[in-house]
Structure formats: structure tokens, C-alpha cells
Amino acid sequence: VGFTKEQFHYAFANTVSREESDAAYDRLHIPAPGSWVWSYGLIANWKPGHQETWVDYDLDDRAPLLFIIGGKDHLMPPSVIRSNAKKYRNSEALTETHEFPDRSHFTGVEPGWEQVADYALEWATSHAGTRQS
């Protein structure tokens, strides 16, 4: 299952020009199997028991977790990321979010990615070995 250039621009690279998006598409786009959507997405709620993708949101003994939010992300909008982060609220382990308001889903590749990487590295370094009280 692949994206068209138009779909790629909307879903991933909506904060860069169409020309930049098309160049990234030509360089980076790889169609992926669509079976996971059925197995782990659409019908997962009707399959009994834990699936391979099951997450223990209440696990206290885990590393700190940072959700990076792209404020203009069309694929995983800020509301979805915040909802995912809230699932960890019963864990004593640290879970935080940080939003970059003008970033898209393509944030790790688009211009200015270094700001996001620097923030994530600083956050991880400052929280290494810590537990939330």
C-alpha cells in the first residue's frame, strides 16, 4: 500500500512546499504492507486476548517516555498524541508531551529537525535514570 504524491504531502509533509514534498517522496517513499491495518487496527478490538502490539500502560518499571507532538501533524494530530499519552496516567514512570506547534509528521526530516532532536536529547539526558514521584 503506497501513498500518491498528493497523499504524502497531506499526511506527512504538509508544512513544506509541494516541490520539497515531491522531492522527499521520490527519495524516501516506500509502499508498506497493509495487512497490519487489518490485524492490529480495524479488527484488533474483536480479537480475544492480548495482541502482539498490546501495551501495559500502567507499567511502573519503564524508562521515561516523551511524546513529541507536531502541531500541524495530519497523520497523528495533537489530540491523538495527547490521548495516547493520557493512557499512561496510572503509571508511576515519567510520561510527558512536548508540542512543536509548526511541525508536521515529517518533523524528523523537514528543515529545522535539529531543534526537535536537540530537545529530545536534552529531555532524555535530563531524565535518564529518574522515576516520577
Side-chain angles (χ1 to χ4, degrees), residues 6-127:
E6 293 79 17
Q7 291 168 331
F8 181 86
H9 181 70
Y10 179 82
F12 288 96
N14 55 295
T15 57
V16 298
S17 72
R18 183 57 196 269
E19 183 179 315
E20 291 171 300
S21 175
D22 287 354
Y25 178 94
D26 291 338
R27 194 175 95 234
L28 302 171
H29 178 261
I30 301 170
S35 61
W36 68 269
V37 173
W38 294 103
S39 297
Y40 304 115
L42 298 175
I43 63 172
N45 290 335
W46 291 282
K47 291 169 70 175
H50 294 287
Q51 311 305 310
E52 293 88 353
T53 57
W54 180 80
V55 174
D56 182 357
Y57 297 107
D58 298 335
L59 185 65
D60 294 329
D61 187 24
R62 64 164 171 79
L65 177 60
L66 172 65
F67 284 87
I68 293 181
I69 301 169
K72 294 184 178 179
D73 191 336
H74 288 168
L75 196 59
M76 294 295 288
S79 60
V80 172
I81 302 300
R82 285 190 184 90
S83 176
N84 287 342
K86 281 183 184 177
K87 292 179 181 181
Y88 292 88
R89 68 183 168 270
N90 294 325
S91 171
E92 291 184 21
L94 179 65
T95 302
E96 292 184 354
T97 62
H98 184 80
E99 182 171 342
F100 290 88
D102 295 322
R103 308 296 296 184
S104 69
H105 197 77
F106 203 53
T107 197
V109 183
E110 68 185 295
W113 65 266
E114 299 90 346
Q115 176 192 11
V116 179
D118 287 344
Y119 181 88
L121 179 60
E122 160 98 15
W123 187 93
T125 302
S126 68
H127 292 90

